Amino acid sequence: MQHVPLKRHSMRSMTPNGTKRRAFLLGAAALPFLARSAVAAELTVFSSGGLNAAYLALVPEFQRATGHTLISVASSSMGTAPDAIPQRLARGELADVLLLADGGLPPLEARGLIRSSSRVDIARSLIGACVKDGAPKPDISTLDAFRQALLNASSIAYSASASGVYIENEMYRRLGIHDQVMPKSRRILSERVAVVVARGEAELGFQQVSEIVTVPGISYLGTIPEDVQLPTIFCAVVTANARQPEAAQALIHFLASPEATPMLRRTGLEPLSRG
């Protein structure tokens, strides 16, 4: 797969007014790990969907402040899809930083593919639900209502990554409706579930909230009930074969910094900032 460097974006599109824009720039520039490097590095980042919206929005400032270039490759945390991080690494694709759900780390660690000590937890994410914009909105506010919404839906879509693995293997069984809903459920590979729902190819869709709320053409229903919720921690880690480990670690620190918190929240994540 050919990797294309991410284009530099205008910060104007990320902040509603000049004051907030200046505050963001000054805050980020003040961070010591964002000091502009004498030697610019080129980092390849495999970013899974849960963090991708926030990460892409934060890329321009990191590049501006450091002089580094980020080559961004959309991926999924786990699974057998061609774009899944384990599959990319198994094919010999090179990366410096991985952004993924923490459940995807153990097999990578066992194969010696990551520097475990470099791990930083970035944000917490919950599973949300959506329907096509304009479609009836089922009640999912209680466990009984949620169970009935699943039984009533003509078709259901879920991701092929962390949340989808949980839904297929555990959640349906905990609700006692696995056999009834699995025949009308579909695992979505290499595409956001909300995009499939927006096209009308599934009546009800489930994925991390951060992967739903930024997609046009859908109505976000909220998070699934707490009794069957599965919070996911999205983290960042440097790969074992990183060509620019110091620059890679600087990116990770930036994503976990207080300066990144507003964008993480804006894209449906709960930041785990150290600041």
Side-chain angles (χ1 to χ4, degrees), residues 229-249:
Q229 181 63 254
L230 180 70
T232 297
I233 302 298
F234 280 93
C235 59
V237 66
V238 179
T239 62
N241 295 324
R243 294 151 292 183
Q244 302 285 347
E246 291 185 5
Q249 200 70 61

Side-chain angles (χ1 to χ4, degrees), residues 1-254:
M1 176 177 177
Q2 183 179 3
H3 297 162
V4 180
L6 194 74
K7 294 182 179 178
R8 294 181 182 271
H9 302 286
S10 169
M11 290 297 295
R12 187 178 302 277
S13 64
M14 292 169 50
T15 51
N17 58 60
T19 300
K20 291 184 178 180
R21 178 177 182 270
R22 285 192 297 273
F24 182 87
L25 291 174
L26 290 172
L31 296 172
F33 52 79
L34 278 189
R36 194 169 184 88
S37 175
V39 179
E42 184 176 85
L43 300 176
T44 298
V45 181
F46 289 175
S47 175
S48 66
L51 271 178
N52 207 42
Y55 159 71
L56 290 178
L58 291 166
V59 160
E61 175 55 20
F62 179 79
Q63 293 188 144
R64 185 204 65 82
T66 63
H68 300 323
T69 298
L70 301 182
I71 300 174
S72 305
V73 182
S75 305
S76 54
S77 298
M78 59 187 73
T80 58
D83 69 341
I85 287 174
Q87 304 305 316
R88 290 190 182 281
L89 296 177
R91 291 196 298 269
E93 293 188 36
L94 297 177
D96 297 286
V97 177
L98 307 179
L99 306 179
L100 73 168
D102 62 353
L105 289 177
L108 302 181
E109 186 174 25
R111 292 162 57 194
L113 296 174
I114 59 174
R115 305 183 186 201
S116 301
S117 62
S118 70
R119 170 183 172 171
V120 174
D121 293 342
I122 306 296
R124 179 176 179 264
S125 180
L126 299 178
I127 300 172
C130 66
V131 294
K132 183 178 174 62
D133 193 21
K137 298 179 181 179
D139 179 13
I140 63 167
S141 61
T142 68
L143 201 61
D144 287 342
F146 180 55
R147 182 185 292 108
Q148 195 60 51
L150 288 166
L151 291 170
N152 291 344
S154 60
S155 56
I156 302 169
Y158 54 84
S159 87
S161 195
S163 62
V165 171
Y166 162 71
I167 288 170
E168 180 179 293
N169 295 335
E170 295 184 47
M171 189 188 80
Y172 283 168
R173 296 184 191 281
R174 288 170 62 180
L175 289 168
I177 56 174
H178 182 271
D179 291 345
Q180 294 100 307
V181 297
M182 272 307 297
K184 59 182 181 181
S185 296
R186 173 186 168 199
R187 182 190 303 150
I188 306 302
L189 301 174
S190 305
E191 187 175 24
R192 289 194 182 189
V193 170
V195 173
V196 174
V197 172
R199 291 200 301 260
E201 296 175 11
E203 181 179 331
L204 190 58
F206 298 98
Q207 200 162 16
Q208 304 293 340
V209 172
S210 57
E211 299 185 66
I212 292 175
V213 295
T214 57
V215 176
I218 58 94
S219 292
Y220 172 57
L221 301 178
T223 57
I224 68 175
E226 185 176 351
D227 288 347
V228 288
Q229 181 63 254
L230 180 70
T232 297
I233 302 298
F234 280 93
C235 59
V237 66
V238 179
T239 62
N241 295 324
R243 294 151 292 183
Q244 302 285 347
E246 291 185 5
Q249 200 70 61
L251 171 62
I252 291 174
H253 286 321
F254 174 57

